[in-house]
Amino acid sequence: MSDTDYSRKISSRGHFSVSGVLIRPGTREKFGARIEVQQGRIHSIIRDDRVAGPFIMPGFIDAHVHIESSLMIPSQFARVAVKHGTVAVVADPHEVANVAGEAGVRFMVRNAESVPLYFFFGVPSCVPASPLEKSGAVLSAADVERLLAEEDFHFLAEMMNFPGVVGGDDEVHAKLRVARAAGKPIDGHAPGLEGEDLRKYVQSGISTDHECTTLEEALAKIESGQKIQIREGSAARNFDSLAALIPQYPESVMICTDDCHPDDLERRHMNKIVSRAVARGYDLFDVLTVATANPVPHYGLPVGQLNEGDPADFIVVDDVVDFNVLETYINGVKVFDQNGVLFEPGKMIPPQFTFRDAVPDTDSIKVTASSETMNVIKAVPGELLTGWKTVPVVPGAEIVSDTEKDLLKIVVLDRYENTPPAIGFITGFGLKSGALAASIAHDSHHLLAIGGDDQSIVNALSWIVEHKGGLCYASESDVTGITLPFYGLMSDRPGEEISRLYQELNAEVVHAGCTIGAPFMTASFMALTVIPALKINHNGLFDVAQFRNIPLCT
């Protein structure tokens, strides 16, 4: 965002000073000081050892996030993030890109420019996520090259098609080549990749990974030359497994949320992840290096680091234990203090986008066993990875949900065309009654429902179709939901309101027996066919290891 962009939105920046204990990870210094700010930049830092508090430090940078997962358009996301001391996000808009292509990406950029938070967008590399996915748009290598030439785009976003990288897919490698030629960093996404395949992946120029779930995997990737983004989001929480990297390799680590749902974002963002790291006894400067500094040189971000002459991007916190934010400054403007957020986004008109209009009926989601065993997705709480189990079925008999055995039906309905549904079964959700449904199913964002009876599943999906997107829970004919008028992914309601509605909806699902902590978030990743092991897409069950669709019964 340029100086001009948001000086139009907020009162002009003048001369002011802020006093506190300055913590500067770049020079590993901590001392009392008065910071003089003029016209958006730090004019001088005057040491004053009499100052005992509060604490001034660089603002937090989320090194990898999909804004769409907050269910908020960027301007509303910003209102919540600045309360937690976040001044910048490295954002991959591939959710909206898969739905609406370049038009959706440009909407994100345009809306982000209206508020005082640094949004550094990448060009999505996998639209669709793989050649076997059906999305609402396609971004070719030529499209990627054209967009990367624009100043609005700072990197090639996560290369999810790691089989295409390793296997030498021409289109995949064309995108990597144009990113390298443009001198833009390339983000990675390679869960479990190792050995020779990892070597090929990294040698293609892919410099980060946020999919590590074990310390061993992360160490192998660091040794290969990658930066590791420790992810602590809503569905995938890897901080506990990877936090030991911070004291060992502070120069090779960043922190990200990846996907952060509105209730989590309302409660915390980067500040509370930092608090957890410090509580483990890790060196404060190391922790702040990974949370505020490392993304700046890696992505070439113009975010201030509390040096004279830098943009005045910093936060004031009460202590270095809880990191409760008292004030947030971005480009020399105070955007948050204890009285609240000091800016308001303007109103946005929801865009037009393609969405199916045919609703299913119960007959269309019935399925009959074709053999004696059935493949079943096994959801894993706190992970995007899934397990895979087989269960016995009776050939020729209808297969139905069995809530007593935690065997639920999962249905994917094509978002873009009125085609028949894909049907599978899933365990691990624990739902005892009703069905949840959403128009968020990574990354193609078809309609997805999980439920214990067919009528509830159909009613939930019908509600989603009627409203052209949203989240809902149906208990037979009673449906409660949240509409998402921006591409069926986001809302322009205030973050506090979205958070409350989302918590209430989750509570209904939990009350119905669901044992997954983030049911809608977890459900949305059941369709992501680039993360092992067994998933479902618009064509049916998908074996990620073999990278192909497989039958329900085998």
Side-chain angles (χ1 to χ4, degrees), residues 92-94 97 105 122-127 139 144 147 155-158 175:
D92 176 1
H94 76 200
V105 172
V123 175
S125 65
C126 298
V127 180
L139 289 183
V144 169
L147 291 170
F155 62 102
L156 183 64
E158 59 179 306
K175 292 175 181 178

Side-chain angles (χ1 to χ4, degrees), residues 53-332:
F55 297 86
I56 303 171
M57 61 187 65
F60 301 119
I61 302 174
D62 191 335
H64 175 78
V65 65
H66 305 286
I67 303 298
E68 303 95 316
S69 291
S70 72
L71 310 185
M72 304 172 206
I73 58 176
S75 56
Q76 291 294 348
F77 176 96
R79 282 189 68 257
V80 183
V82 297
K83 296 191 296 186
H84 302 303
T86 300
V87 301
V89 294
V90 180
D92 176 1
H94 76 200
E95 316 299 352
V96 73
N98 272 278
V99 170
E102 187 174 325
V105 172
R106 293 196 183 280
F107 165 82
M108 299 293 280
V109 172
R110 186 173 68 254
N111 181 245
E113 289 174 344
S114 70
V115 290
L117 179 80
Y118 291 111
F119 288 88
F120 299 106
F121 286 103
V123 175
S125 65
C126 298
V127 180
S130 83
L132 298 181
E133 292 299 308
K134 175 185 179 183
S135 60
V138 174
L139 289 183
S140 68
D143 296 325
V144 169
E145 182 176 27
R146 177 171 46 80
L147 291 170
L148 281 176
E150 299 181 16
E151 64 178 11
D152 287 331
F153 301 103
H154 299 264
F155 62 102
L156 183 64
E158 59 179 306
M159 177 48 74
M160 306 180 70
N161 188 1
F162 60 89
V165 178
V166 174
D169 180 273
D170 290 341
E171 180 72 5
V172 166
H173 278 273
K175 292 175 181 178
L176 297 173
R177 281 196 302 273
V178 299
R180 293 195 301 267
K184 300 291 178 75
I186 305 172
D187 271 0
H189 166 114
L193 205 63
E194 59 185 1
E196 179 63 15
D197 287 347
L198 176 60
R199 186 191 66 79
K200 291 180 181 178
Y201 191 76
V202 176
Q203 283 193 341
S204 71
I206 298 171
S207 57
T208 69
D209 190 274
H210 61 273
E211 292 292 341
C212 294
T213 59
T214 68
L215 199 57
E216 294 75 19
E217 179 183 358
L219 289 171
K221 289 177 177 176
I222 288 175
E223 290 172 4
S224 75
Q226 287 194 312
K227 306 287 187 183
I228 299 301
Q229 296 164 333
I230 298 176
R231 174 176 55 193
E232 187 70 3
S234 293
R237 301 177 185 267
N238 307 121
F239 177 84
D240 287 337
S241 299
L242 304 179
L245 295 172
I246 295 173
Q248 295 180 52
Y249 298 95
E251 72 287 349
S252 298
V253 174
M254 307 177 211
I255 295 177
C256 74
T257 59
D258 193 11
D259 295 285
C260 193
H261 260 205
D263 54 340
D264 281 338
L265 185 61
E266 179 65 26
R267 289 192 296 265
R268 56 140 181 114
H269 195 211
M270 301 287 292
N271 58 329
K272 295 308 176 185
I273 305 174
V274 166
S275 178
R276 288 173 61 187
V278 170
R280 287 172 173 251
Y282 297 155
D283 179 84
L284 175 63
F285 293 117
D286 286 347
V287 173
L288 293 183
T289 294
V290 305
T292 70
N294 284 349
V296 171
H298 182 79
Y299 293 102
L301 309 181
V303 179
Q305 293 292 291
L306 279 181
N307 301 306
E308 290 184 350
D310 279 1
D313 306 318
F314 58 86
I315 62 175
V316 182
V317 301
D318 58 354
D319 59 41
V320 289
V321 176
D322 296 319
F323 294 89
N324 296 313
V325 177
L326 305 178
E327 296 176 342
T328 301
Y329 293 84
I330 299 178
N331 209 7

Side-chain angles (χ1 to χ4, degrees), residues 432-454:
K432 296 299 183 184
S433 62
L436 61 89
S439 55
I440 299 172
H442 299 283
D443 277 332
S444 296
H445 297 294
H446 297 296
L447 282 56
L448 183 144
I450 295 173
D453 69 273
D454 287 357

